Amino acid sequence: MMRRLSLICAILAIFLVASIGSVSAQDSSTDKVIHASGSGNVIGTPDRAQITFSVQTENPDVKVAQSDNANQMAKVIDAIAGAGIPRDSLKTSGYSISPVYDDTTGGILNPKVKTYQVTNTLTVTLDDVSRTGEIIDIAVANGVNQADSIQFMLSDVQAQALRGEALKNAVANARTDADTVAGALGVNITGMGTVDITQSFTPVVYSNSQWDAAGAAKSVAPTPIQPGEITVNAQVSVTYTY
């Protein structure tokens, strides 16, 4: 009796699983659908640059290190502003005071502070990328001694224009795939359901290993900087009905 009951339960469980699988695979709507994804890429030239560099000073007296740093950075800011860059395009993006320890005295447990290092970091945003090398040279000539990074980006206007082109390409590619599938099935697409959109672009970044503030200070020739290209990518997922 127990064996017979177990057999009946097993049969019911298999039937239940099969029923659940068929329900999840069934389209709840009356329309049959084709899901298609498309990707579109558009290459653009950056029209905005952000340069980040620092003034770093060091002195046994922390107040002197701070004062020297403030004077040096003020000179940098005045020089960049004097070159026609609006002051609201300049912003402080970092400030730190760090002790530098003397490893030869005091040991590991009781290190002695040798000097204090003050670092003031400035970010400059340029709407004319062709002036990137010029502004770097001006900054270095007036006291910048630490290079951080350069980012070439797209302005909001250009990013939106390129995004529109990339989306058109993505939609066209998705529709081409859907038409191909519909043709293979011998059906016609009659409408469209949901549409999901994603879009992205990555700035061109030069780290401090790719340009040298100390080298720029010693160089007679202007610092050559090439912005490169930026690829704007758009992806769509479209549900077509037939």
Side-chain angles (χ1 to χ4, degrees), residues 157-238:
V157 173
Q158 188 178 9
Q160 185 60 37
L162 294 177
R163 180 176 185 266
E165 291 184 41
L167 283 171
K168 288 179 182 178
N169 294 340
V171 170
N173 290 334
R175 182 57 191 255
T176 298
D177 287 349
D179 286 337
T180 300
V181 172
L185 294 174
V187 299
N188 295 317
I189 291 177
T190 58
M192 188 169 56
T194 60
V195 180
D196 294 322
I197 301 171
T198 59
Q199 178 266 338
S200 66
F201 72 87
T202 304
V204 180
V205 180
Y206 295 88
S207 65
N208 58 1
S209 63
Q210 293 168 292
W211 64 290
D212 178 21
K218 297 175 183 177
S219 175
V220 177
T223 300
I225 301 292
Q226 298 298 324
E229 296 178 330
I230 290 178
T231 300
V232 177
N233 173 267
Q235 293 182 331
V236 297
S237 296
V238 186

Side-chain angles (χ1 to χ4, degrees), residues 20 33 40 60-61 70 93 100 104 106 109 126 149 164 167 177 190 199:
I20 292 173
V33 298
D61 188 329
S93 52
V100 178
T104 61
L109 298 178
L126 301 176
S149 68
L167 283 171
D177 287 349
T190 58
Q199 178 266 338

